[in-house]
Amino acid sequence: MRCILKSFTSFPTHLLPEQVLGANDIEQWCKKLEKTTQENKNEGSPKFKTEIIRGDVEYELFLQKLREALSQSNCRVAINFLRPSLVGFKKPWWVPIHFLFGLMSGHFSPILGMLESTSPENPPLVAVFDVNAAYGMILVEAPRLYQAAKACDVSARKSRGIIIVSETTE
């Protein structure tokens, strides 16, 4: 959440919340962001609204919403995804804790942009800035990213997805 808030130049940096392990569920993440900005509205925090696009929507709608959000200067996009679906399991993958953690955990990372393909048979590439320094930025084909967002969040019993955070004047 800090990465998303920090990317808005209108958000006062002294109001950024501490970096802590937090909500793994999309709804909890959105509520925490909205609560953070609401609690600090008297100190100059801008207003934000969030929109969740779960991975269980059709691929074309997922891609359309992602493109629309990335084209607007007042929007930022975060993805809640299952990392092993993009980068594989932590080694050694056969150690039960790595395997279970890989299937059950997930996290949020900012999506930085999209590179459209010049040929119709190749899908667009999406730039994901993994907040874990061991992974860094990942360029991933959009269908693969969609599958990572479509993965079930075991704790919420719902698919993961993207969150569109928009600065608003309302």
Side-chain angles (χ1 to χ4, degrees), residues 93-114:
W93 65 267
W94 47 266
V95 173
I97 192 70
H98 293 296
F99 186 73
L100 288 174
F101 227 38
L103 288 177
M104 296 179 70
S105 65
H107 70 285
F108 297 88
S109 289
I111 293 179
L112 302 178
M114 184 183 300

Side-chain angles (χ1 to χ4, degrees), residues 66-168:
L66 183 57
R67 281 184 174 124
E68 287 172 3
L70 291 171
S71 71
Q72 297 177 34
S73 62
N74 70 322
C75 291
R76 306 294 185 271
V77 182
I79 182 164
N80 174 243
F81 67 102
L82 193 60
R83 185 183 289 136
S85 60
L86 294 184
V87 298
F89 287 95
K90 188 173 180 178
K91 297 195 176 175
W93 65 267
W94 47 266
V95 173
I97 192 70
H98 293 296
F99 186 73
L100 288 174
F101 227 38
L103 288 177
M104 296 179 70
S105 65
H107 70 285
F108 297 88
S109 289
I111 293 179
L112 302 178
M114 184 183 300
L115 300 170
E116 295 292 347
S117 175
T118 56
S119 88
E121 62 270 0
N122 294 325
L125 294 173
V126 181
V128 178
F129 183 71
D130 196 314
V131 294
N132 183 329
Y135 296 95
M137 191 178 83
I138 306 164
L139 275 177
V140 61
E141 290 182 341
R144 192 165 168 200
L145 183 72
Y146 171 70
Q147 290 301 320
K150 194 173 183 176
C152 183
D153 179 346
V154 177
S155 63
R157 294 192 173 115
K158 295 179 184 175
S159 67
R160 298 166 187 280
I162 59 173
I163 304 164
I164 300 168
V165 180
S166 306
E167 186 173 6
T168 180

Side-chain angles (χ1 to χ4, degrees), residues 17-30:
E18 290 296 316
Q19 184 69 37
V20 295
L21 289 176
N24 213 19
D25 175 77
I26 292 178
E27 280 92 6
Q28 291 174 1
W29 192 93
C30 290

